[in-house]
Every structure is written in structure tokens, then in C-alpha cells.
Amino acid sequence: MQDVKIIEGAEGYSLGSGPVGALFCHGFTSSPQNMRLLADHLQAKGIAVRAPLLPGHGTTWQDLNSKKQRDWVDAIDAAFHELAAESDEVFVVGLSFGAALALDLAAHYPDRVNGIVTLAGFVATNDPRRFLTPVIRRFVRSLPGVGNDIADPELREIVYDRFPTSAAHFMLKQVKRARMSLPSVTAPILVMHGRNDRTVPPFNAQLIYDTVASTDKELVWLDRSNHVITLDRDREEVFSRTYAFIAARSAVSQV
């Protein structure tokens, strides 16, 4: 199989090292690029960051259309074990669909994930097309993209301009799996969501907060942001709250 070239700037990255690490999980059709500012903020404060590029992402939407649920789950699982071998404490930070991967991971390793941060987390949709994905993907290869839902016009994300339907079918399977796993999530959790999100309905944040079994949990609404809250008008609050959450629950608070 021919190698697919990664879009410049969409690569995964590994920043710093130390006893406290954060595993980043980016969203569907995007890349770790839209979490890089948050990564730099955390790394500057002593937190090691690992942000893998999910299979099929950062290349072409056709490449993504060849991938399935297991590909993304396995990639995050492998990255988690690599970071856990380097750091004593591991937190998982997921944006959009990445939150579905992060929550599922936390449900499977309740004694090894020290905390979770969901950013515009996606665990449910009320879009009626969700019932038709098994059929749609057989007749339509892609639909118009849904990226760059950002109120701030100064920042853009690297994201596909098409939404691959076959991969979307398997993405929704993972979203459902994450939703079903919420009662098994016990780690401390910080849930943040933009009130003006036009990509992932804001009810997702309340659903996550209400359903997880975590006793240490916080829900934060961001009034000036749309979907990509790591790049939007409330990004500085996202950065500071994410760091404060991790610092208060780890050895980094002693740095």
C-alpha cells in the first residue's frame, strides 16, 4: 500500500518528559494541530504531552475512509501505554470525538487514568442521519466538511473539507460505545463546552457530567466559543482550567 503524505502542521507531537503526562486525543477529520497551543501551555508548566495523529487523519479524507473504529482505539491505547511507561501519572484530554476515545480509555483503565478533560466532548447526536449511515456510506463516499467551527476569525484548524461517510459510520459506533461506558468512568473529570457549539450539541457536556460515576467532577460553560474551544475566544480559560485541574490532582502541583 502506498504511503500517504501527512499534511504539514498536522503531525503528532511529543513534548517534554516528567512524572505527570497528558495524552491528547484530537477530533474526527482534524489533527493534533488544533490542540497545540494547549499542549505548549501545559508543557511550559512541567507536564509532558503526547499527541498522536489518529490513523487516517492529517492526510486525505479518502485515507480516513479506509479506517475503522478499532484503528483509532488501538492507536490511543498504544499511546497511553507508552506515556504510562514514562510518567507516573497520566491524564487524558480529548477534543470532540477525541473525548469519546478518552472516556472509553478511562472506563477500561479506571486505576491507571488519573483524570480526564473533555473539550466539546462528543458522546451523542440527535442528527436523524445517524440511523442511515450504514446505507449512506454505500452510496455516497463523502459529504461537506464540518470543520473550523470557530468564532475567532484569527485562528483556523487543519481539517478535511469533506466528511468521509464510511469512516463516519465507525466513528458513530465508537461514540455510542463511549456513551455506554460513561457509568464506568470513575476518574476525576473536567467537562468544558462552548455554548455556541454548532458541531457537537452542547447537551453532550451535561450528559457526560450527569452520567459518569466520578465524584470529583466539574462542568464549565464557555460563553464566547463555538466548537474548537482550544482555538476559540475562550482558549485562555481552557488552558488555565486544564492546567489547574491537572495540577490540583497530581505531583505537578509541587513544581
Side-chain angles (χ1 to χ4, degrees), residues 29 61 65 127 129 133 136-137 140-146 160-166 168:
T29 75
W61 68 262
N65 231 6
D127 189 330
R129 290 176 295 179
T133 58
I136 292 174
R137 74 189 186 100
V140 181
R141 294 191 65 203
S142 71
L143 296 169
V146 296
Y160 295 149
D161 60 1
R162 301 296 297 177
F163 191 80
T165 56
S166 181

Side-chain angles (χ1 to χ4, degrees), residues 237-250:
E237 182 175 357
V238 171
F239 301 166
S240 61
R241 285 185 178 274
T242 301
Y243 171 71
F245 173 82
I246 295 174
R249 293 159 184 82
S250 68

Side-chain angles (χ1 to χ4, degrees), residues 162-223:
R162 301 296 297 177
F163 191 80
T165 56
S166 181
H169 170 70
F170 294 104
M171 178 269 288
L172 289 174
K173 283 181 172 291
Q174 176 59 26
V175 165
K176 181 178 180 180
R177 171 170 145 163
R179 184 170 67 253
M180 295 300 101
S181 73
L182 290 176
S184 299
V185 174
T186 58
I189 185 169
L190 171 62
V191 179
M192 289 189 277
H193 210 113
R195 288 194 186 275
N196 305 315
D197 194 327
R198 298 172 298 185
T199 302
V200 172
F203 74 78
N204 276 262
Q206 195 70 55
L207 177 61
I208 294 169
Y209 180 84
D210 290 342
T211 311
V212 294
S214 312
T215 56
D216 179 357
K217 57 184 180 178
E218 182 179 5
L219 173 58
V220 175
W221 293 105
L222 303 166
D223 294 327

Side-chain angles (χ1 to χ4, degrees), residues 16 36-37 54-55 62 71 79 88 99 101 108-109 151-152 167 179 182 186 201 208 211 232 241-242 244:
R36 183 58 189 259
L37 295 178
L54 294 175
Q62 294 92 337
D71 297 313
D88 299 325
L101 295 170
H108 281 79
Y109 300 109
D152 187 340
R179 184 170 67 253
L182 290 176
T186 58
I208 294 169
T211 311
D232 219 332
R241 285 185 178 274
T242 301

Side-chain angles (χ1 to χ4, degrees), residues 52-144:
L53 178 65
L54 294 175
H57 291 77
T59 53
T60 66
W61 68 262
Q62 294 92 337
D63 180 30
L64 179 54
N65 231 6
S66 69
K67 302 299 186 284
K68 298 181 179 180
Q69 176 182 0
R70 193 76 251 167
D71 297 313
W72 310 314
V73 171
D74 287 348
I76 291 300
D77 190 85
F80 171 74
H81 282 90
E82 289 174 6
L83 182 55
E86 302 170 5
S87 299
D88 299 325
E89 299 174 283
V90 176
F91 292 77
V92 188
V93 183
L95 173 61
S96 192
F97 171 62
L101 295 170
L103 290 161
D104 184 49
L105 182 80
H108 281 79
Y109 300 109
D111 299 325
R112 300 184 64 186
V113 172
N114 293 85
I116 313 147
V117 179
T118 67
L119 308 168
F122 182 33
V123 295
T125 179
N126 50 16
D127 189 330
R129 290 176 295 179
R130 68 190 185 278
F131 301 115
L132 301 175
T133 58
V135 176
I136 292 174
R137 74 189 186 100
R138 298 186 184 281
F139 296 96
V140 181
R141 294 191 65 203
S142 71
L143 296 169

